[in-house]
């Protein structure tokens, strides 16, 4: 089954700075997904990262705030730019696991807990 | 608007109790429903349900889907303190093969010794 390595695991950042989160998958996947989970809330999709094309952002999320890179089929980064305390959340990347690859469904990275002070 | 609604939002039980968590959905082009357990940061996969009336079981956990009434339940029998977590229900949405998930609010389960 697909295994995702996500880092950093956690960080405390000053407002106005940026943080880049990385996800590495142990197999090639077409699409990778980035989610945000604000304190006490459920997961909300930020964007879909496609290899070789611009990421597709969901309503309420913009590229200037959350630029995404997808240089190849196993790797993606999400940057949280010009951070404010409202960006304090858990950020998660995810891929879809196809049938026959063990844990069918959607697999998540270990998550990044971001605190902005 | 597509949505997934879970109930209850929180639940406190004692070890040995049986709990039932609910998930209702309104999603166009429904394909499947997934249950996750979230203890720290990353949700871990429990079940994927695609067919009505077929129970999926893993140890003390089981789940079933009703596509006519648009809901699913997750049962946990003989609960243990290790079952304390947030349980999330999610449904893929959008056109097929987009891989996007819409999540319910989650049910926070606390199992007391």
């Amino acid at each position: 089954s697909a295994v995702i390595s996500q880092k950093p695991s956690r960080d405390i950042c000053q407002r106005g700075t940026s943080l880049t989160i990385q996800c590495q998958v142990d197999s090639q996947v077409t699409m990778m997904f980035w989610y945000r989970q604000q304190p006490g809330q459920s997961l909300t999709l930020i964007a879909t990262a496609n290899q070789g094309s611009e990421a597709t952002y969901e309503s309420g999320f913009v590229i200037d705030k959350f630029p995404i890179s997808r240089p190849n089929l196993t790797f993606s980064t999400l940057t949280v730019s010009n951070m404010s305390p409202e960006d304090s959340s858990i950020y998660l990347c995810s891929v879809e696991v196809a049938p026959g690859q063990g844990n069918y469904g959607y697999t998540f990275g270990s998550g990044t807990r971001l605190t902005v002070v | 608007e597509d949505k997934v609604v879970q109930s209850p939002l929180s639940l406190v039980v004692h070890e040995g109790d049986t709990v039932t968590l609910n998930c209702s959905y309104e999603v166009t082009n429904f394909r499947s429903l997934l249950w996750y357990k979230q203890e720290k940061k990353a949700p871990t996969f429990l079940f994927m349900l695609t067919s009505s009336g077929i129970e999926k079981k893993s140890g003390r956990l089981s789940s079933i889907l009703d596509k006519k009434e648009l809901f699913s339940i997750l049962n946990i029998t003989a609960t243990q303190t290790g079952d304390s977590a947030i349980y999330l229900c999610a449904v893929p949405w959008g056109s097929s093969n987009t891989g996007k998930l819409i999540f319910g609010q989650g049910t926070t389960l606390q199992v007391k010794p």
Side-chain angles (χ1 to χ4, degrees):
Chain A
S1 59
V3 175
I4 306 175
S5 300
Q6 183 174 343
K7 59 181 180 181
S9 175
R10 61 178 60 225
D11 208 341
I12 301 174
C13 300
Q14 296 290 324
R15 67 179 69 199
T17 62
S18 298
L19 176 72
T20 295
I21 302 167
Q22 301 179 5
C23 275
Q24 177 77 49
V25 189
D26 67 348
S27 58
Q28 294 185 338
V29 293
T30 305
M31 291 181 288
M32 293 178 71
F33 307 93
W34 288 97
Y35 288 85
R36 179 178 74 179
Q37 187 177 29
Q38 295 177 299
Q41 304 294 315
S42 193
L43 280 73
T44 301
L45 182 66
I46 298 172
T48 303
N50 307 297
Q51 195 272 331
S53 64
E54 292 281 337
T56 305
Y57 289 82
E58 299 300 317
S59 176
F61 298 97
V62 296
I63 188 171
D64 290 345
K65 176 66 177 178
F66 298 101
I68 286 172
S69 78
R70 185 80 201 276
N72 57 55
L73 291 173
T74 64
F75 186 79
S76 179
T77 68
L78 170 77
T79 299
V80 186
S81 303
N82 188 24
M83 288 183 285
S84 66
E86 292 70 36
D87 295 318
S88 298
S89 298
I90 296 171
Y91 293 86
L92 293 149
C93 60
S94 173
V95 301
E96 182 177 7
V97 179
Q101 295 186 17
N103 200 4
Y104 182 30
Y106 298 79
T107 296
F108 287 84
S110 51
T112 298
R113 186 183 300 275
L114 170 62
T115 303
V116 183
V117 296
Chain B
E1 181 181 341
D2 293 340
K3 62 181 179 181
V4 177
V5 178
Q6 291 185 246
S7 64
L9 295 182
S10 65
L11 195 54
V12 180
V13 301
H14 287 92
E15 275 191 316
D17 289 348
T18 294
V19 298
T20 298
L21 310 182
N22 304 292
C23 176
S24 64
Y25 62 89
E26 293 179 28
V27 177
T28 54
N29 299 317
F30 176 84
R31 303 185 289 282
S32 61
L33 182 146
L34 301 100
W35 284 97
Y36 288 90
K37 179 182 182 182
Q38 185 180 31
E39 293 179 89
K40 293 182 179 178
K41 293 180 294 182
T44 54
F45 175 81
L46 295 175
F47 299 111
M48 174 183 266
L49 304 161
T50 56
S51 302
S52 271
I54 299 175
E55 184 183 56
K56 293 215 171 179
K57 199 170 173 64
S58 176
R60 295 177 293 103
L61 278 66
S62 64
S63 184
I64 197 162
L65 175 68
D66 185 328
K67 290 167 74 173
K68 181 179 178 183
E69 300 298 329
L70 308 184
F71 78 93
S72 173
I73 60 172
L74 175 68
N75 280 319
I76 308 175
T77 60
T79 51
Q80 303 171 356
T81 55
D83 295 325
S84 296
I86 299 172
Y87 290 84
L88 296 165
C89 171
V91 177
W93 64 290
S95 59
S96 62
N97 300 320
T98 63
K100 300 191 290 188
L101 295 174
I102 180 170
F103 282 84
Q105 319 95 300
T107 294
T108 300
L109 174 64
Q110 182 183 359
V111 182
K112 292 186 172 182

